Amino acid sequence: MTASQDRNVSQALTNETQKVVADFNSLDTDAKLAWFYLVYEKMGDSITPAAPAAAEPNLAPILLNDYLDLSDDEQLAIMRQIVNGEASDYSRAYGALKENNQLLVWYVWAEAMGDQVVDLSEDYETTDKIDNLLSQLEGLDFEAQMSVLRTIASQMGYSDVQPVETQTQTGKTPSL
């Protein structure tokens, strides 16, 4: 687990939600993408309104506009780069966003899947692991679901930004 993943797991407040995050993290890249798609497909009416209402879409034009003009193969490659935290322009743009805006990106992409965004192949079959993880998320209340989704979304993408050391870590008090 990377430092950014370790830092963000604490957002999933309960043992139950932390288990969902850990189970998600155990999936491979394409299974993570499929799970995200299925979350929006199955639970979109309850989950998706929270992201756009709390987000600022103008902060992510490369992800919400330019991305839609790319080929299916390019889009899939970018999704994989973001999930894997690779250092690419799109992954950096995603990593620079706050969690609500990151969820907005997935929301917009989910809404456009099969139209302007690459879709799951028609013969795609989910695994027991993905189905179980979906059931775990569905069994949580709305607040816990959002906690899990924000935590997962925040673990993706690439960022060079390092957390500022605390006074406890440095032993120094801040000065003006």
Side-chain angles (χ1 to χ4, degrees), residues 4-61:
S4 103
Q5 287 175 323
D6 184 48
R7 181 178 74 244
N8 291 316
V9 169
S10 63
Q11 292 179 26
L13 301 173
T14 67
N15 288 339
E16 187 177 20
T17 56
Q18 287 181 10
K19 180 183 180 331
V20 175
V21 171
D23 288 351
F24 175 83
N25 288 335
S26 73
L27 298 175
D28 67 39
T29 301
D30 287 341
K32 288 176 181 178
L33 289 173
W35 181 81
F36 243 131
Y37 173 79
L38 294 168
V39 164
Y40 280 105
E41 186 77 13
K42 288 184 78 174
M43 302 171 64
D45 291 341
S46 64
I47 288 176
T48 53
E56 301 172 54
N58 57 332
L59 294 179

Side-chain angles (χ1 to χ4, degrees), residues 82-167:
I82 289 170
V83 167
N84 293 328
E86 296 174 19
S88 69
D89 290 343
Y90 283 90
S91 191
R92 279 186 173 90
Y94 179 91
L97 299 173
K98 293 283 192 189
E99 292 89 349
N100 285 335
N101 288 316
Q102 290 170 335
L103 286 177
L104 174 66
V105 168
W106 291 108
Y107 168 74
V108 169
W109 291 353
E111 288 291 304
M113 279 191 174
D115 182 21
Q116 290 180 287
V117 174
V118 63
D119 203 349
L120 282 177
S121 64
E122 288 184 26
D123 61 347
Y124 180 81
E125 292 187 29
T126 64
T127 63
D128 289 342
K129 207 169 180 180
I130 291 173
D131 292 338
N132 184 26
L133 189 56
L134 278 170
S135 295
Q136 287 179 54
L137 187 69
E138 287 176 310
L140 300 172
D141 65 33
F142 178 76
E143 193 173 306
Q145 289 173 347
M146 291 309 299
S147 175
V148 166
L149 291 171
R150 282 187 188 104
T151 300
I152 288 170
S154 71
Q155 293 175 354
M156 297 180 192
Y158 181 86
S159 178
D160 295 352
V161 177
Q162 299 299 315
V164 177
E165 290 183 325
T166 65
Q167 181 179 346

